[in-house]
């Protein structure tokens, strides 16, 4: 159960939603029949050690609602009460997401990242409003709204989620506590517009590390997430905290140091995400493995990561001075804690 009442969710988030959120992809057994408890606990321990204050428990993989609840329970037990967990509302239907979030609430989730199923095909802002409000009404958890071109809502409005729609949702859904602002990605228009209008109402998150640190010279951002910045080790929590507390020049020194890794990630991600509107979670899992996380096999359907991107991602970390494993890439699919 959350540490706050629904009516107090925004005030709680304003005080507690601080720092950076990683993304944790579940680990599986070698035969893919079950979750890998040792691998999951290893990854949670590692992300806490790196200085992140939250992680998204990624469900945009082949995982059931019941398995996701077990994933959440292990993460909660491993991390303790001072580390935050996002439930990922990325299941197949509205009903599926409501079922899964109720299980995740009981298992220890703190907040929700609201995604939209690929078979949700709105033709009006009312359709988007109805789905969002129905979900928010069904949970006591604080919800992070997530406007991004991935959903295809630009058929309804060029911004995907218009200023008017977001205004209405914030008025009618008091447990929307934050906005992960990516309208118009890869341009920064979404974060700028949401910050301008709503920064006094809810927490505004810029999840894009490449944008967040520079924008903090102009914006008072308290939280960034959710994204796979944990593959660059402890760089992002450290740099974000420096920028948040007024040490912008030091943050930018760190920012430029990891630019080779950033460029490698951008190139690899551009090969899939813009074309198909989906993130290559196998790539993310591999990037994590390079940085000491468990790695291991992924359930089908999952995308592949070509060798050329494996090599460039590894060399990006090396050139940035980040921690990177010396293990051969063949060890990635086995994982550090196989079962």
């Amino acid at each position: 159960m959350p540490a706050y009442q629904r009516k107090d969710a925004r005030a709680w988030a304003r005080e507690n939603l601080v720092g950076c959120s990683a993304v944790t992809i579940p680990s599986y057994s070698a035969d893919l029949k079950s979750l890998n408890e040792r691998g999951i606990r290893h990854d949670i321990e590692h992300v806490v050690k790196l200085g992140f204050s939250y992680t998204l428990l990624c469900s945009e993989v082949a995982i059931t609602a019941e398995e996701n609840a077990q994933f959440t329970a292990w993460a909660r037990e491993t991390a303790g009460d001072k580390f935050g967990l996002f439930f990922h509302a990325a299941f197949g239907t509205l009903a599926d997401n409501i079922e899964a979030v109720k299980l995740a609430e009981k298992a220890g989730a703190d907040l929700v990242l609201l995604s939209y199923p690929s078979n949700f095909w709105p033709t009006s802002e009312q359709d988007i409003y109805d789905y969002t409000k129905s979900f928010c009404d069904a949970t006591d958890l604080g919800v992070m709204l997530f406007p991004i071109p991935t959903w295809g809502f630009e058929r309804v409005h060029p911004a995907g989620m218009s200023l008017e729609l977001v205004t209405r949702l914030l008025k009618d859904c008091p447990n929307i506590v934050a906005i992960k602002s990516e309208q118009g990605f890869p341009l920064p228009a979404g974060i700028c517009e949401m910050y301008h209008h709503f920064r006094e109402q809810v927490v505004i998150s810029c999840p894009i590390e490449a944008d967040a640190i520079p924008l903090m010279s102009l914006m008072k951002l308290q939280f960034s997430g959710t994204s796979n910045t944990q593959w660059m080790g402890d760089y992002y929590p450290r740099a974000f905290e420096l920028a948040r507390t007024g040490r912008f020049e030091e943050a930018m020194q760190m920012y430029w140091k990891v630019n080779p890794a950033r460029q490698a990630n951008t190139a690899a991600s551009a090969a899939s995400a813009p074309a198909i509107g989906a993130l290559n979670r196998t790539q993310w899992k591999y990037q994590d493995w390079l940085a000491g996380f468990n790695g291991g096999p992924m359930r089908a359907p999952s995308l592949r990561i070509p060798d050329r991107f494996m090599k460039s991602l590894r060399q990006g970390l090396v050139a940035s001075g980040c921690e990177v494993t010396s293990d051969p890439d063949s060890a990635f699919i086995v994982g550090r804690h196989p079962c």
Side-chain angles (χ1 to χ4, degrees):
M1 302 298 291
Y4 52 87
Q5 294 185 356
R6 196 173 189 275
K7 64 182 178 62
D8 301 320
R10 286 187 185 172
W12 181 91
R14 179 70 69 184
E15 181 178 351
N16 293 279
L17 192 54
V18 178
C20 300
S21 176
V23 175
T24 301
I25 297 171
S27 293
Y28 299 101
S29 59
D31 62 6
L32 300 176
K33 300 292 186 183
S34 60
L35 296 177
N36 178 344
E37 180 178 355
R38 288 179 64 207
I40 287 170
R41 289 187 184 274
H42 169 84
D43 285 354
I44 296 298
E45 288 172 353
H46 196 41
V47 80
V48 172
K49 180 181 177 181
L50 291 175
F52 288 85
S53 51
Y54 287 81
T55 196
L56 171 71
L57 301 177
C58 183
S59 67
E60 202 173 52
V61 289
I63 190 171
T64 68
E66 292 75 17
E67 286 176 325
N68 189 71
Q70 181 63 79
F71 181 23
T72 305
W74 286 337
R76 177 83 288 149
E77 183 179 281
T78 303
D81 293 335
K82 294 183 179 180
F83 185 80
L85 301 175
F86 276 90
F87 165 75
H88 193 189
F91 289 85
T93 67
L94 175 60
D96 289 342
N97 281 298
I98 291 173
E99 175 191 0
V101 75
K102 290 183 181 299
L103 293 173
E105 281 185 38
K106 295 177 181 177
D110 298 291
L111 294 164
V112 176
L113 177 65
L114 181 57
S115 296
Y116 296 87
S118 58
N119 59 4
F120 175 58
W121 197 268
T123 58
S124 68
E125 288 199 337
Q126 187 64 42
D127 292 340
I128 302 169
Y129 172 91
D130 289 343
Y131 184 105
T132 305
K133 188 172 189 303
S134 294
F135 179 86
C136 291
D137 287 349
T139 181
D140 288 329
L141 295 180
V143 175
M144 184 155 69
L145 195 66
F146 187 13
I148 189 174
T150 300
W151 316 134
F153 295 171
E154 289 73 21
R155 77 177 70 90
V156 174
H157 187 279
M161 287 189 181
S162 69
L163 178 62
E164 292 75 20
L165 175 59
V166 175
T167 300
R168 186 182 174 198
L169 286 169
L170 293 185
K171 177 178 179 293
D172 295 345
C173 303
N175 59 328
I176 293 179
V177 302
I179 305 174
K180 183 181 180 183
S181 310
E182 295 189 59
Q183 297 103 315
F185 179 81
L187 300 177
I191 180 68
C192 293
E193 185 174 43
M194 295 297 100
Y195 182 84
H196 178 77
H197 288 282
F198 303 120
R199 65 183 183 273
E200 300 300 329
Q201 296 183 51
V202 295
V203 175
I204 305 299
S205 170
C206 178
I208 308 303
E209 166 272 330
D211 292 340
I213 299 296
L215 285 174
M216 288 170 80
S217 66
L218 305 170
M219 298 177 177
K220 292 182 179 180
L221 301 177
Q222 69 178 59
F223 175 77
S224 179
T226 58
S227 195
N228 69 329
T229 51
Q230 69 278 351
W231 84 288
M232 292 186 283
D234 65 355
Y235 145 71
Y236 195 42
R238 291 171 58 212
F240 187 86
E241 182 62 14
L242 287 171
R244 190 178 75 85
T245 56
R247 299 165 69 181
F248 178 72
E249 292 79 8
E250 293 176 66
M252 285 303 296
Q253 289 176 5
M254 297 180 67
Y255 177 95
W256 289 120
K257 184 178 179 182
V258 301
N259 203 46
R262 181 181 299 114
Q263 290 178 320
N265 178 64
T266 299
S269 300
S272 57
I276 63 175
L279 296 167
N280 188 337
R281 300 298 186 182
T282 306
Q283 174 191 316
W284 285 30
K285 192 75 166 170
Y286 171 75
Q287 289 175 275
D288 285 354
W289 173 81
L290 285 174
F293 290 88
N294 183 64
M298 300 277 285
R299 284 176 176 169
S302 60
L303 299 177
R304 293 176 172 84
I305 175 170
D307 285 351
R308 67 184 184 277
F309 289 137
M310 287 182 165
K311 290 181 174 61
S312 64
L313 289 165
R314 182 188 287 269
Q315 289 307 309
L317 289 178
V318 172
S320 298
C322 297
E323 182 178 345
V324 58
T325 183
S326 60
D327 294 342
D329 286 341
S330 57
F332 157 62
I333 207 66
V334 177
R336 291 194 159 83
H337 298 283
C339 71

